[in-house]
Amino acid sequence: MNRRFLQGCVYTLSTLMALPAWPQAPALPAARSRAPVTVNFVNADIEAVTRAVAAMIERAIVVDPHVKGTITLYSEQPQSVREAYVAYQSALRGLGFAIIESGGLLKVVPEADAKLQTGTVSVGEVGARGEQIITQIFTLRYENPNNLVAVLRPLISANNTINANPGNNALVITDYADNLQRIAKIIAALDQPSGTDVEVVQLQHAVAADLAPLVQRLSDGGGAAVPGVPGGGAAGTTVVADSRSNSLIIRAPNPARLAALRATISRLDRPNNLTGPGGGMYVVHLKNADATRLAAVVRAAFGAVGTGSSGNSSGGGGGAVAAVQIGNSPAPGNPGGAAPGGGALSTAAQPSTGGFIQADPATNSLVITAPEPLYKQVRALIDQLDSRRAQVYIESMIVEVSPSDAADFGFQWQGLLGKAGDQLGLAGGTNFTPAGGNGNIITLSKAGAAGGSTLTVGEGRNLGLLNTYNGVVSLAAIARALQSQSETNIVSTPNLITLDNEEAKIVVGENVPFITGQFTQTGTATTNPFQTIERKDVGITLRIKPQIGEGGAIRMTIFQEQSAVKSDTAAGTTNAGPSTTKRSIEGTVVVDDGQILVLGGLIQDTFTLSRSKVPLLGDLPLVGALFRSESRERKRTNLMVFLRPIVMRDAESANKFSTDRYEQMRGQQKDNQPTPSIMMPINEAPVLPLRPQGREPLAPPPSAPSGPASAPSTEAAPAQPKAPS
């Protein structure tokens, strides 16, 4: 082995040097860098070849015990020490081994273990070269590191790793130094900003709120123009209007697109040619607000400004003053001159006229006739008022628990003292009417003597003693004991949704007629008797007006009423209609978003004691029970009203709630399907159709088969799980 090693390793020891780029390599005289070497190892032992290479570079190289086998390393022409060392690293990589540096010492280890033992960690640019395995940390400036992992993973050897650290937006890669230099170039090319810096374009003639949707649609490739609706920004271009400074804030994915946007804006920023005696004419399509109500608000706002400033002789000021006089008069579709925003929303049948701003309810637009400076002020106010209002979903729960206990015990007796043939006799006893109304001993004796057709014994345990008087069987004594319990548990959950600062009302019950007046025939005159009836809602009524405040707090004006018709006929008279019970709560509360608030309720505990007795005798101990009857009743009524408001600020949250309730109702319908029957042809109950995820219309429900019997329907898609309310 030593002979082959001495024959294959031919070089000049006096001119050897280490590579300048090697990490921690000792500096050698410059003359050694030009001394060529010739290596010729054919199927030589790896450890022996490693010792020869270590002598060439004058650095110690340790061979891991797991590194075994032979290596072939030769060159037909003399080469530098650097080239020989690089060839040695390439030969090791082909055999599945790699060189790492740890603590200033070079090691030859299996490639699979190199990523765990390497001690070279570099941050920033990749300085090392060759086939040495190192760990490099790349800090990204713009790109998400998770996005680059999928791109770079195929470019890294199978035994090495790549990891993303989203915390500091960095990539940690362990691989060969030459491959890391290539990856560094790829990362530098991909780590670029997604768009240009934000630029502000000041407009001279056009209005920013009018020009922003048009520029957005043009930058996104066109499409159908929807009045008042900006484009979606699918191409990475963003155009936002700043009404305060009448400027456009633009951002583009590259400088070329940004220059095109600026050129488009400069061409569109031209004076308005639709001018008249009162100034230009503009049409503003509203996205959320009501045109009739907003027109009245704007006229009043600018009218107050015009009347409060003296000496204003501009055209805008005169138009504003004229608008005040018309704004205070009732407009068509708003009789009575109600203040905007108060009461229920009324639909204007005709456009409002007069002043410098008119409303067109058909298109929900505003037509403004004003000079350009005044129009810019009006448009800035409209943009602030025409915002999408949040919605409030209100869950309420009315819980009523009314348990009652009753107990009744009594003893009655009747007796006749004397014998047959006596002219005089003595009759005596006790008789009481129980709480139930049945069970008086005299009434029962009379019913028994009459044949028993109307004999009605009271509820509970009855024990009687019979006796015969002149051939007639009658009750001599009767004892009665009764204990009853009843519980009432009522839960009502009326839910509703409404816009912020808009009143909503829900009524769940029945419409009951009440007599309000009547006329009957009097005297001999021929008249037509009649009655006047008024129908009223009886049931659960919930009326709420929410107002969303700062920080998610919701201020609500609440009216809740629970009424019912009494079941007993004694509660009302025949000529006045039925009698009703009523429980209502009215007030103003503040509750946080999603929190539960108890509004209040009724807690009533009633105890009733009824005792009938014979004076003095009924008070005697023990035997006094023969001379008295007693009943006790206790009623407890617990009524509580709970409320939970949830703010829905966008369409996504509103759609989520609607989907949850839709699937909940659909699941209940599927669970309540009738049991299939061969004898009966109706085996399906209605089920809501599947709700699509997109904006497609709901699929029509499947039509029932026309046969005498049908199998239960099967659904293609399972129902979603019920969301907790």
Side-chain angles (χ1 to χ4, degrees), residues 455-508:
L455 181 62
T456 302
V457 182
E459 298 177 352
R461 183 69 173 177
N462 295 278
L463 182 63
L465 179 64
L466 301 177
N467 194 6
T468 303
Y469 300 97
N470 295 328
V472 179
V473 179
S474 180
L475 282 173
I478 182 173
R480 176 175 179 267
L482 172 65
Q483 183 177 0
S484 61
Q485 294 180 345
S486 63
E487 293 186 1
T488 303
N489 191 350
I490 302 175
V491 178
S492 303
T493 57
N495 301 331
L496 50 87
I497 184 173
T498 180
L499 280 174
D500 178 26
N501 209 27
E502 292 288 346
E503 182 179 297
K505 178 182 178 181
I506 183 173
V507 178
V508 180

Side-chain angles (χ1 to χ4, degrees), residues 296-386:
V297 172
V298 175
R299 281 197 297 264
F302 280 87
V305 173
T307 56
S309 60
S310 60
N312 186 3
S313 59
S314 63
V321 174
V324 176
Q325 301 174 358
I326 297 178
N328 293 332
S329 61
N334 188 17
L345 179 63
S346 59
T347 304
Q350 298 293 332
S352 61
T353 58
F356 72 102
I357 178 172
Q358 291 82 35
D360 182 17
T363 59
N364 196 37
S365 304
L366 296 177
V367 181
I368 302 174
T369 304
E372 185 175 345
L374 177 61
Y375 170 70
K376 292 181 179 180
Q377 298 180 11
V378 173
R379 187 57 192 272
L381 177 62
I382 292 174
D383 291 340
Q384 297 180 31
L385 296 176
D386 186 26

Side-chain angles (χ1 to χ4, degrees), residues 9 11-13 15-20 22-28 32 37 49-62 80-86 88-89 99 104-108 132:
C9 182
Y11 56 89
T12 305
L13 295 178
T15 57
L16 290 180
M17 68 165 294
L19 294 177
W22 297 341
Q24 300 180 3
L28 297 177
R32 293 188 179 184
V37 296
V49 175
T50 301
R51 288 198 301 268
V53 175
M56 283 191 297
I57 65 174
E58 294 185 350
R59 292 192 62 180
I61 302 178
V62 180
S80 64
V81 176
R82 176 186 178 85
E83 294 174 348
Y85 182 68
V86 171
Y88 169 69
Q89 289 180 316
I99 292 182
L105 184 65
L106 298 178
K107 297 181 181 179
V108 181
Q132 180 180 340

